[in-house]
Coordinates of all heavy atoms in Angstrom, one line a residue:
M158 N 107.9 32.4 68.2 CA 107.3 31.2 67.6 C 105.8 31.3 67.5 O 105.2 31.8 68.4 CB 107.7 29.9 68.4 CG 109.1 29.5 68.4 SD 109.2 28.4 67.1 CE 110.9 28.6 66.6
S159 N 105.3 30.8 66.4 CA 103.9 30.9 66.1 C 103.1 29.7 66.7 O 101.9 29.7 66.7 CB 103.6 31.0 64.6 OG 104.0 29.8 64.0
G160 N 103.8 28.7 67.2 CA 103.2 27.5 67.8 C 102.7 26.5 66.7 O 102.1 25.5 67.1
R161 N 103.0 26.8 65.5 CA 102.6 25.8 64.4 C 103.7 24.8 64.3 O 104.9 25.1 64.3 CB 102.5 26.5 63.1 CG 101.2 27.4 63.1 CD 101.1 28.1 61.7 NE 101.1 27.1 60.6 CZ 101.3 27.5 59.4 NH1 101.4 28.7 59.0 NH2 101.3 26.6 58.4
R162 N 103.3 23.5 64.1 CA 104.3 22.5 63.9 C 104.5 22.3 62.4 O 103.5 22.5 61.6 CB 103.7 21.1 64.5 CG 103.6 21.2 66.0 CD 103.2 19.9 66.6 NE 102.7 18.9 65.6 CZ 102.1 17.8 65.9 NH1 101.8 17.6 67.2 NH2 101.7 16.9 65.0
P163 N 105.7 21.9 62.0 CA 105.9 21.6 60.6 C 105.1 20.4 60.1 O 104.8 19.5 60.9 CB 107.4 21.4 60.5 CG 107.8 21.0 61.8 CD 106.9 21.7 62.8
P164 N 104.6 20.4 58.9 CA 103.8 19.2 58.4 C 104.6 17.9 58.5 O 105.8 17.9 58.3 CB 103.5 19.6 57.0 CG 104.5 20.6 56.6 CD 104.9 21.3 57.8
E165 N 103.9 16.9 58.8 CA 104.6 15.5 58.8 C 104.9 15.1 57.4 O 104.1 15.4 56.5 CB 103.7 14.5 59.5 CG 103.5 14.8 61.0 CD 102.6 13.8 61.6 OE1 102.5 12.7 61.1 OE2 102.1 14.1 62.7
P166 N 106.0 14.4 57.1 CA 106.4 14.1 55.7 C 105.3 13.3 55.0 O 105.1 13.5 53.8 CB 107.7 13.4 55.9 CG 107.9 13.1 57.3 CD 107.0 14.0 58.1
Y167 N 104.7 12.4 55.7 CA 103.7 11.5 55.0 C 102.3 11.7 55.5 O 101.4 11.1 55.1 CB 104.1 10.0 55.2 CG 105.4 9.6 54.6 CD1 106.4 9.3 55.4 CD2 105.6 9.7 53.2 CE1 107.6 8.9 54.8 CE2 106.8 9.4 52.7 CZ 107.8 9.0 53.5 OH 109.0 8.7 52.9
G168 N 102.1 12.7 56.4 CA 100.8 12.9 56.9 C 100.5 11.8 57.9 O 101.1 10.8 57.9
R169 N 99.6 12.1 58.8 CA 99.3 11.2 59.9 C 98.6 9.9 59.3 O 99.0 8.8 59.7 CB 98.4 11.8 60.9 CG 98.1 10.9 62.1 CD 99.3 10.7 63.0 NE 98.9 9.9 64.1 CZ 99.7 9.1 64.7 NH1 101.0 9.1 64.4 NH2 99.4 8.4 65.7
A170 N 97.7 10.1 58.4 CA 97.0 9.0 57.9 C 97.9 8.1 57.0 O 97.8 6.9 57.0 CB 95.8 9.5 57.1
G171 N 98.8 8.8 56.2 CA 99.7 8.1 55.4 C 100.7 7.2 56.2 O 101.0 6.1 55.8
G172 N 101.1 7.8 57.3 CA 102.1 7.0 58.1 C 101.4 5.8 58.8 O 102.0 4.7 58.9
D173 N 100.1 6.0 59.2 CA 99.4 4.9 59.8 C 99.1 3.8 58.7 O 99.2 2.6 59.1 CB 98.0 5.4 60.3 CG 98.2 6.3 61.5 OD1 99.3 6.3 62.1 OD2 97.2 6.9 61.9
R174 N 98.9 4.2 57.5 CA 98.7 3.2 56.4 C 100.0 2.4 56.2 O 99.9 1.2 56.0 CB 98.2 3.8 55.2 CG 96.8 4.3 55.2 CD 96.4 4.9 53.8 NE 95.1 5.5 53.9 CZ 95.0 6.8 53.8 NH1 96.0 7.6 53.5 NH2 93.8 7.4 53.9
L175 N 101.1 3.1 56.2 CA 102.3 2.4 55.9 C 102.7 1.4 57.1 O 103.2 0.3 56.8 CB 103.5 3.4 55.7 CG 103.4 4.3 54.4 CD1 104.5 5.3 54.4 CD2 103.4 3.4 53.2
I176 N 102.4 1.8 58.3 CA 102.6 0.9 59.4 C 101.7 -0.3 59.3 O 102.2 -1.4 59.6 CB 102.5 1.7 60.7 CG1 103.6 2.7 60.9 CG2 102.4 0.7 61.9 CD1 103.4 3.7 62.1
A177 N 100.5 -0.1 59.0 CA 99.5 -1.2 58.8 C 100.0 -2.1 57.7 O 99.9 -3.4 57.9 CB 98.1 -0.7 58.6
L178 N 100.5 -1.6 56.6 CA 101.0 -2.5 55.5 C 102.2 -3.2 56.0 O 102.4 -4.4 55.6 CB 101.3 -1.6 54.3 CG 100.1 -1.1 53.5 CD1 100.4 -0.2 52.5 CD2 99.3 -2.3 52.9
F179 N 103.1 -2.6 56.7 CA 104.3 -3.3 57.2 C 103.8 -4.5 58.1 O 104.3 -5.6 58.0 CB 105.1 -2.4 58.0 CG 106.3 -3.0 58.7 CD1 107.4 -3.5 58.0 CD2 106.3 -3.2 60.1 CE1 108.4 -4.1 58.7 CE2 107.3 -3.8 60.7 CZ 108.4 -4.3 60.0
L180 N 102.9 -4.3 59.0 CA 102.4 -5.3 59.9 C 101.7 -6.4 59.1 O 101.8 -7.6 59.4 CB 101.5 -4.7 61.0 CG 102.2 -3.8 62.0 CD1 101.1 -3.2 62.9 CD2 103.2 -4.5 62.7
L181 N 100.9 -6.0 58.1 CA 100.3 -7.0 57.2 C 101.3 -7.9 56.5 O 101.2 -9.1 56.5 CB 99.4 -6.3 56.2 CG 98.8 -7.3 55.2 CD1 97.7 -8.2 55.8 CD2 98.1 -6.4 54.1
A182 N 102.4 -7.3 56.0 CA 103.5 -8.0 55.4 C 104.2 -9.0 56.4 O 104.5 -10.1 56.0 CB 104.5 -7.1 54.8
L183 N 104.3 -8.6 57.6 CA 104.9 -9.4 58.6 C 104.0 -10.7 58.8 O 104.6 -11.8 59.0 CB 105.1 -8.7 60.0 CG 106.3 -7.8 60.1 CD1 106.3 -7.1 61.5 CD2 107.6 -8.5 59.9
V184 N 102.8 -10.5 58.9 CA 101.8 -11.6 59.1 C 101.8 -12.5 57.9 O 101.9 -13.8 58.0 CB 100.4 -11.1 59.4 CG1 99.4 -12.2 59.4 CG2 100.4 -10.4 60.7
L185 N 101.8 -11.9 56.7 CA 101.7 -12.8 55.5 C 103.0 -13.5 55.2 O 103.0 -14.6 54.5 CB 101.3 -11.9 54.3 CG 99.9 -11.3 54.3 CD1 99.7 -10.4 53.1 CD2 98.9 -12.4 54.3
F186 N 104.1 -13.0 55.6 CA 105.4 -13.7 55.4 C 105.9 -14.5 56.7 O 107.0 -14.8 56.8 CB 106.5 -12.7 55.0 CG 106.3 -12.3 53.6 CD1 106.1 -10.9 53.3 CD2 106.4 -13.2 52.5 CE1 105.9 -10.5 52.0 CE2 106.3 -12.7 51.2 CZ 106.0 -11.4 50.9
N187 N 104.9 -14.7 57.6 CA 105.2 -15.5 58.8 C 105.4 -17.0 58.4 O 104.7 -17.5 57.6 CB 104.0 -15.3 59.7 CG 104.4 -15.6 61.2 OD1 105.5 -15.9 61.5 ND2 103.4 -15.5 62.0
P188 N 106.5 -17.6 59.0 CA 106.8 -19.0 58.6 C 105.6 -20.0 58.7 O 105.5 -20.9 57.9 CB 107.9 -19.4 59.6 CG 108.6 -18.1 59.8 CD 107.5 -17.0 59.9
P189 N 104.7 -19.9 59.7 CA 103.6 -20.9 59.7 C 102.7 -20.8 58.5 O 102.2 -21.7 58.0 CB 102.9 -20.6 61.0 CG 103.9 -20.0 61.9 CD 104.8 -19.2 61.0
L190 N 102.5 -19.5 58.1 CA 101.7 -19.3 56.9 C 102.4 -19.8 55.6 O 101.8 -20.4 54.7 CB 101.2 -17.9 56.8 CG 100.2 -17.6 55.7 CD1 98.9 -18.4 56.0 CD2 99.8 -16.1 55.8
L191 N 103.7 -19.5 55.6 CA 104.5 -20.0 54.5 C 104.5 -21.5 54.4 O 104.6 -22.1 53.3 CB 105.9 -19.4 54.5 CG 106.1 -17.9 54.3 CD1 107.5 -17.5 54.5 CD2 105.6 -17.6 52.9
A192 N 104.5 -22.2 55.5 CA 104.6 -23.6 55.6 C 103.3 -24.2 55.0 O 103.3 -25.3 54.4 CB 104.7 -24.1 57.0
A193 N 102.2 -23.5 55.1 CA 100.9 -24.0 54.5 C 101.0 -24.0 53.0 O 100.4 -24.9 52.4 CB 99.8 -23.1 54.9
F194 N 101.8 -23.1 52.4 CA 102.0 -23.1 51.0 C 103.2 -23.9 50.5 O 103.5 -24.0 49.3 CB 102.1 -21.6 50.5 CG 100.8 -20.9 50.5 CD1 100.5 -20.1 51.6 CD2 99.8 -21.0 49.5 CE1 99.3 -19.5 51.7 CE2 98.6 -20.4 49.6 CZ 98.3 -19.6 50.7
G195 N 103.9 -24.4 51.5 CA 105.1 -25.2 51.1 C 104.8 -26.7 50.8 O 105.7 -27.4 50.5
A196 N 103.5 -27.0 50.9 CA 103.1 -28.4 50.5 C 103.4 -28.6 49.0 O 103.5 -27.7 48.2 CB 101.7 -28.6 50.8
P197 N 103.6 -29.9 48.6 CA 103.9 -30.2 47.2 C 102.7 -30.0 46.3 O 102.4 -30.9 45.5 CB 104.4 -31.6 47.3 CG 103.8 -32.2 48.5 CD 103.6 -31.1 49.5
A198 N 102.0 -28.9 46.4 CA 100.9 -28.6 45.5 C 101.4 -27.7 44.4 O 102.3 -27.0 44.5 CB 99.8 -28.0 46.3
T199 N 100.7 -27.8 43.2 CA 101.0 -26.9 42.1 C 99.8 -26.2 41.6 O 98.7 -26.6 41.8 CB 101.6 -27.8 40.9 OG1 100.6 -28.7 40.5 CG2 102.8 -28.5 41.4
L200 N 100.1 -25.1 41.0 CA 99.0 -24.3 40.4 C 99.5 -24.0 38.9 O 100.5 -23.3 38.7 CB 98.8 -22.9 41.1 CG 97.8 -22.0 40.6 CD1 96.4 -22.7 40.8 CD2 97.8 -20.7 41.4
F201 N 98.8 -24.6 38.0 CA 99.2 -24.5 36.6 C 100.6 -25.0 36.4 O 101.3 -24.5 35.5 CB 99.1 -23.1 36.0 CG 97.7 -22.5 36.2 CD1 97.5 -21.4 37.0 CD2 96.6 -23.1 35.5 CE1 96.2 -20.9 37.1 CE2 95.3 -22.5 35.6 CZ 95.2 -21.4 36.4
G202 N 101.0 -26.0 37.1 CA 102.3 -26.6 37.0 C 103.4 -25.9 37.8 O 104.5 -26.4 37.8
W203 N 103.1 -24.8 38.4 CA 104.1 -24.1 39.2 C 103.9 -24.4 40.7 O 102.8 -24.6 41.1 CB 103.9 -22.6 39.0 CG 104.3 -22.1 37.6 CD1 103.7 -22.4 36.5 CD2 105.3 -21.2 37.3 NE1 104.3 -21.8 35.4 CE2 105.3 -21.0 35.9 CE3 106.3 -20.5 38.1 CZ2 106.2 -20.2 35.3 CZ3 107.1 -19.7 37.4 CH2 107.1 -19.5 36.0
P204 N 105.0 -24.6 41.4 CA 104.8 -24.8 42.9 C 104.1 -23.6 43.5 O 104.3 -22.5 43.2 CB 106.3 -24.9 43.4 CG 107.1 -25.0 42.2 CD 106.4 -24.5 41.0
S205 N 103.3 -23.9 44.5 CA 102.5 -22.9 45.1 C 103.3 -21.9 46.0 O 102.8 -20.8 46.1 CB 101.4 -23.5 46.0 OG 101.9 -24.3 47.0
L206 N 104.4 -22.3 46.6 CA 105.1 -21.4 47.5 C 105.7 -20.2 46.7 O 105.5 -19.1 47.2 CB 106.2 -22.2 48.2 CG 107.0 -21.3 49.2 CD1 106.1 -20.8 50.3 CD2 108.1 -22.1 49.8
P207 N 106.4 -20.4 45.6 CA 106.9 -19.2 44.9 C 105.7 -18.3 44.4 O 105.9 -17.1 44.4 CB 107.7 -19.7 43.8 CG 108.0 -21.1 44.1 CD 106.9 -21.6 45.0
I208 N 104.6 -18.9 44.0 CA 103.5 -18.1 43.5 C 103.0 -17.3 44.7 O 102.7 -16.1 44.5 CB 102.4 -19.0 42.9 CG1 102.9 -19.6 41.6 CG2 101.1 -18.2 42.7 CD1 102.0 -20.6 41.0
Y209 N 102.8 -17.9 45.8 CA 102.4 -17.1 47.0 C 103.3 -16.0 47.4 O 102.9 -14.9 47.6 CB 102.2 -18.1 48.2 CG 101.8 -17.4 49.5 CD1 100.6 -16.9 49.7 CD2 102.8 -17.2 50.5 CE1 100.2 -16.2 50.9 CE2 102.5 -16.5 51.6 CZ 101.2 -16.0 51.8 OH 100.9 -15.3 53.0
I210 N 104.6 -16.3 47.5 CA 105.6 -15.3 47.9 C 105.6 -14.1 46.9 O 105.5 -12.9 47.3 CB 107.0 -15.9 48.0 CG1 107.0 -16.8 49.2 CG2 108.1 -14.8 48.1 CD1 108.3 -17.6 49.3
F211 N 105.7 -14.4 45.6 CA 105.7 -13.3 44.7 C 104.4 -12.6 44.5 O 104.3 -11.4 44.3 CB 106.2 -13.8 43.3 CG 107.7 -14.1 43.3 CD1 108.2 -15.3 43.1 CD2 108.6 -13.0 43.5 CE1 109.5 -15.6 43.1 CE2 110.0 -13.3 43.6 CZ 110.4 -14.6 43.3
G212 N 103.3 -13.3 44.7 CA 102.0 -12.6 44.7 C 101.8 -11.7 45.8 O 101.3 -10.6 45.6
V213 N 102.1 -12.1 47.0 CA 102.0 -11.3 48.2 C 103.0 -10.1 48.1 O 102.6 -8.9 48.4 CB 102.3 -12.1 49.5 CG1 102.4 -11.2 50.7 CG2 101.1 -13.0 49.7
W214 N 104.2 -10.3 47.6 CA 105.2 -9.3 47.4 C 104.6 -8.2 46.5 O 104.7 -7.0 46.7 CB 106.4 -9.9 46.9 CG 107.6 -9.0 46.8 CD1 108.0 -7.9 47.6 CD2 108.6 -9.0 45.7 NE1 109.1 -7.3 47.1 CE2 109.5 -8.0 46.0 CE3 108.8 -9.8 44.6 CZ2 110.6 -7.8 45.1 CZ3 109.8 -9.6 43.8 CH2 110.7 -8.6 44.1
L215 N 104.1 -8.6 45.4 CA 103.5 -7.7 44.4 C 102.3 -6.9 45.0 O 102.2 -5.7 44.8 CB 103.0 -8.5 43.1 CG 102.4 -7.7 42.0 CD1 103.4 -6.7 41.4 CD2 101.8 -8.6 41.0
A216 N 101.5 -7.6 45.7 CA 100.3 -7.0 46.3 C 100.8 -5.9 47.4 O 100.2 -4.8 47.4 CB 99.4 -8.0 47.0
I217 N 101.8 -6.2 48.2 CA 102.2 -5.3 49.2 C 102.8 -4.0 48.5 O 102.6 -2.9 48.9 CB 103.3 -5.9 50.1 CG1 102.6 -7.0 51.0 CG2 104.0 -4.9 51.0 CD1 101.6 -6.5 52.0
I218 N 103.6 -4.3 47.4 CA 104.2 -3.1 46.7 C 103.1 -2.3 46.1 O 103.2 -1.0 46.2 CB 105.2 -3.6 45.6 CG1 106.4 -4.2 46.3 CG2 105.5 -2.5 44.7 CD1 107.4 -4.9 45.4
A219 N 102.1 -2.9 45.5 CA 101.0 -2.1 44.9 C 100.2 -1.3 46.0 O 99.8 -0.2 45.8 CB 100.0 -3.1 44.2
L220 N 100.0 -1.9 47.2 CA 99.3 -1.2 48.3 C 100.1 -0.1 48.8 O 99.6 1.0 49.2 CB 98.9 -2.2 49.4 CG 97.8 -3.2 49.0 CD1 97.7 -4.3 50.1 CD2 96.5 -2.5 48.8
I221 N 101.4 -0.3 48.9 CA 102.3 0.8 49.3 C 102.2 2.0 48.3 O 102.2 3.2 48.7 CB 103.7 0.3 49.5 CG1 103.8 -0.5 50.8 CG2 104.7 1.5 49.7 CD1 105.1 -1.2 51.0
A222 N 102.3 1.6 47.0 CA 102.2 2.7 46.0 C 100.8 3.4 46.1 O 100.8 4.7 46.0 CB 102.3 2.0 44.6
L223 N 99.8 2.7 46.4 CA 98.5 3.4 46.6 C 98.5 4.3 47.8 O 97.9 5.4 47.8 CB 97.3 2.4 46.7 CG 96.9 1.7 45.4 CD1 95.9 0.6 45.7 CD2 96.3 2.8 44.4
A224 N 99.1 3.8 48.9 CA 99.1 4.6 50.1 C 100.0 5.9 49.9 O 99.6 6.9 50.4 CB 99.7 3.8 51.3
M225 N 101.1 5.8 49.2 CA 101.9 6.9 48.9 C 101.2 7.9 48.0 O 101.4 9.1 48.1 CB 103.3 6.5 48.4 CG 104.1 5.7 49.3 SD 104.4 6.5 50.9 CE 105.4 7.8 50.3
E226 N 100.4 7.4 47.0 CA 99.7 8.2 46.1 C 98.6 9.0 46.8 O 98.4 10.2 46.5 CB 99.1 7.4 45.0 CG 98.5 8.1 43.8 CD 99.6 8.8 43.0 OE1 100.7 8.4 43.0 OE2 99.3 9.9 42.4
R227 N 98.0 8.4 47.8 CA 96.9 9.1 48.5 C 97.5 10.1 49.4 O 96.8 11.0 49.8 CB 96.2 8.1 49.4 CG 95.2 7.3 48.7 CD 94.4 6.4 49.6 NE 93.1 6.1 49.1 CZ 92.2 5.5 49.7 NH1 92.4 5.2 51.0 NH2 91.1 5.2 49.2
K228 N 98.8 10.1 49.7 CA 99.4 11.0 50.6 C 99.2 12.4 50.1 O 98.8 13.3 50.9 CB 100.9 10.8 50.7 CG 101.6 11.8 51.5 CD 103.1 11.8 51.2 CE 103.4 12.4 49.9 NZ 104.3 13.5 49.8
G229 N 99.3 12.7 48.8 CA 99.1 14.0 48.3 C 97.7 14.5 48.4 O 97.5 15.7 48.6
R230 N 96.8 13.6 48.3 CA 95.4 14.0 48.3 C 94.9 14.2 49.8 O 94.0 15.1 50.0 CB 94.5 13.0 47.6 CG 94.6 13.1 46.1 CD 93.7 12.2 45.4 NE 94.5 10.9 45.2 CZ 93.9 9.7 45.1 NH1 92.6 9.6 45.3 NH2 94.7 8.7 44.9
D231 N 95.4 13.4 50.7 CA 94.9 13.4 52.1 C 95.6 14.5 52.9 O 95.0 15.0 53.8 CB 95.1 12.1 52.8 CG 94.1 11.0 52.2 OD1 93.2 11.4 51.5 OD2 94.3 9.8 52.5
G232 N 96.8 14.8 52.5 CA 97.6 15.7 53.3 C 97.2 17.2 53.1 O 96.5 17.5 52.2
D233 N 97.6 18.0 54.0 CA 97.3 19.4 53.9 C 98.4 20.1 53.0 O 99.5 20.1 53.4 CB 97.3 20.0 55.3 CG 96.9 21.5 55.3 OD1 96.4 21.9 54.3 OD2 97.0 22.1 56.4
D234 N 98.0 20.6 51.9 CA 99.0 21.1 50.9 C 99.3 22.6 51.2 O 100.1 23.2 50.5 CB 98.4 21.0 49.5 CG 98.4 19.6 49.1 OD1 99.2 18.8 49.6 OD2 97.6 19.2 48.2
R235 N 98.7 23.2 52.2 CA 99.0 24.5 52.6 C 100.4 24.6 53.2 O 100.7 23.8 54.1 CB 98.0 25.1 53.5 CG 96.6 25.3 52.8 CD 95.6 25.8 53.8 NE 95.2 24.6 54.7 CZ 94.6 24.7 55.8 NH1 94.3 25.9 56.3 NH2 94.3 23.7 56.5
G236 N 101.2 25.6 52.9 CA 102.5 25.7 53.4 C 102.5 26.5 54.6 O 102.9 26.6 55.6

């Protein structure tokens, strides 16, 4: 054995980013925060809760896509 470890599938930094995004999503979808947007307020005639839920969902997906895209640039491409 040469003592070399196989490369991690997402790289150390990429894995840390994904864990951080997961924890961010847990906080943003926490019921007390959702209750703040559950008030009968509207934004352009739309209820604020669905706008918040879908906006955060879209932002988390976009951030995950960016984190996965960076994986190729940050990781060690040597085999």
Side-chain angles (χ1 to χ4, degrees):
M158 289 270 152
S159 65
R161 290 181 51 192
R162 293 186 348 194
E165 295 180 20
Y167 297 114
R169 183 70 179 154
D173 290 346
R174 286 185 191 112
L175 293 176
I176 291 170
L178 286 171
F179 174 74
L180 294 174
L181 176 66
L183 280 179
V184 170
L185 291 176
F186 287 116
N187 202 0
L190 190 56
L191 290 175
F194 288 95
T199 61
L200 182 65
F201 303 114
W203 290 64
S205 60
L206 183 61
I208 291 175
Y209 173 76
I210 289 173
F211 287 116
V213 168
W214 184 38
L215 179 67
I217 293 294
I218 290 173
L220 290 172
I221 288 172
L223 284 173
M225 295 303 293
E226 189 69 27
R227 282 187 156 188
K228 174 199 76 121
R230 285 185 266 152
D231 290 348
D233 186 11
D234 291 333
R235 292 176 284 163

